[in-house]
Amino acid sequence: MAKFYYAANWKLNKNPQETYQFIKALKELIPGEKTEQVLLFPTAFSLCSAIEANTVSPIELGAQNIYWEDSGAFTGENSAKMLSEMGLSFCLVGHSERRHIFGETDQQINLKIKQLQKHRICPVICLGEVLEERKSGRTEEVITEQLELALKTIDYKKEFILAYEPVWAIGTGEVASPEQAEAAHLCLREKLTQLFSQEVAEKISILYGGSVKPDNCIEIGQKPNVNGFLIGGASLQLDSFCKIISSI
Ligand code: PGA
């Protein structure tokens, strides 16, 4: 059975002090048995304060992005090696804002995933179609191609997580219907079965992301192939993030 996660993508929000205070407060509010299902992705600058605030807690922390080399003349970048030395175990890869604003390609995403696996960090691989692709009935073709390119020659025995995030639903308030989410997740699960095996595919968590809110998370989260959420806007407020965590 795939593990169910509540992942918070804070994007370029929350400075180190705000991150510290949020995590301290969050730890008091989330039901104990759910703590180890919570994954937080603060900005790189805020990771140290996140670690400081998260002592003796099973909340997991991760970075939003890394470069595919360990070190060198790559001004402005961060490495998987450094993340692992900081004791972190997760990292987002291929978020739609990285793909569309920063021009990240499927090939670069594949390199980053391999680099993360090399350092035993679990990649949370984001993929999803743009509105035009959905309207022209190409959703499944687009996401299976993104998946195949992302996973090219990776070690499937090492853990990874997928996040299906339709680009038209990110930050727009327009959430996918539970049926649309389930159809895309099932398609990804079937592709994973084809690429690896049913046993491997069943263990991989596939999160849904895109305008997840307390009032729409239950129906989506109850779908059999949805194993959690990647939450942007609603994870920035304690109230809405905790409501999502406790409602399903
Ligand atoms: P959103 O962002 O919940 O604000 O739509 C989700 C994401 O970008 O991961």
Side-chain angles (χ1 to χ4, degrees):
M1 256 298 265
K3 184 168 172 180
F4 199 97
Y5 286 103
Y6 306 89
N9 174 11
W10 287 346
K11 311 188 181 190
L12 187 46
N13 294 294
K14 295 198 189 296
N15 67 25
Q17 197 187 349
E18 290 160 345
T19 299
Y20 183 90
Q21 286 165 352
F22 188 100
I23 295 175
K24 281 277 181 207
L26 181 68
K27 289 204 297 182
E28 301 299 317
L29 294 171
I30 40 180
E33 75 282 3
K34 294 241 173 126
T35 322
E36 58 155 44
Q37 292 167 262
V38 176
L39 276 177
L40 305 176
F41 295 96
T43 70
F45 280 177
S46 296
L47 278 173
C48 288
S49 10
I51 292 169
E52 215 181 306
N54 195 37
T55 46
V56 293
S57 157
I59 291 178
E60 292 282 1
L61 301 169
Q64 297 174 10
N65 181 38
I66 51 105
Y67 189 58
W68 57 81
E69 296 285 348
D70 283 344
S71 59
F74 306 106
T75 302
E77 297 294 330
N78 295 297
S79 73
K81 181 170 183 276
M82 289 178 185
L83 267 194
S84 130
E85 286 163 357
M86 288 167 79
L88 301 184
S89 323
F90 292 86
C91 186
L92 296 178
V93 192
H95 187 274
S96 99
E97 283 142 25
R98 301 279 338 150
R99 291 179 192 256
H100 298 289
I101 303 174
F102 301 100
E104 216 165 83
T105 65
D106 289 305
Q107 287 69 25
Q108 291 171 338
I109 290 161
N110 175 253
L111 286 174
K112 291 181 181 196
I113 293 167
K114 286 188 195 154
Q115 188 68 7
L116 287 163
Q117 289 199 325
K118 179 177 143 194
H119 292 286
R120 303 189 180 284
I121 293 171
C122 174
V124 179
I125 306 164
C126 306
L127 39 83
E129 80 289 357
V130 299
L131 188 56
E132 227 172 75
E133 291 163 340
R134 173 157 289 270
K135 281 189 173 160
S136 57
R138 295 182 52 231
T139 298
E140 299 198 351
E141 179 196 329
V142 169
I143 60 176
T144 48
E145 192 187 350
Q146 287 173 340
L147 182 65
E148 217 166 339
L149 293 170
L151 300 183
K152 211 169 173 184
T153 71
I154 70 145
D155 182 352
Y156 69 87
K157 292 199 184 85
K158 291 187 180 157
E159 197 192 350
F160 64 90
I161 294 173
L162 297 184
Y164 168 64
E165 299 204 298
V167 179
W168 48 271
I170 297 178
T172 59
E174 194 183 337
V175 66
S177 70
E179 294 69 31
Q180 285 172 326
E182 173 62 14
H185 284 227
L186 178 61
C187 160
L188 292 169
R189 185 94 59 204
E190 284 172 352
K191 188 71 194 172
L192 290 169
T193 304
Q194 193 188 325
L195 289 172
F196 309 120
S197 70
Q198 193 177 345
E199 199 195 343
V200 171
E202 279 172 0
K203 285 191 195 135
I204 296 169
S205 303
I206 309 179
L207 318 185
Y208 169 80
S211 297
V212 173
K213 304 274 181 283
D215 62 2
N216 61 30
C217 67
I218 298 177
E219 271 196 274
I220 298 176
Q222 280 171 340
K223 289 290 177 194
N225 282 290
V226 176
N227 313 117
F229 308 111
L230 181 55
I231 312 155
S235 72
L236 292 171
Q237 306 298 329
L238 272 173
D239 180 44
S240 45
F241 190 40
C242 290
K243 268 192 191 140
I244 294 172
I245 295 170
S246 35
S247 54
I248 177 148

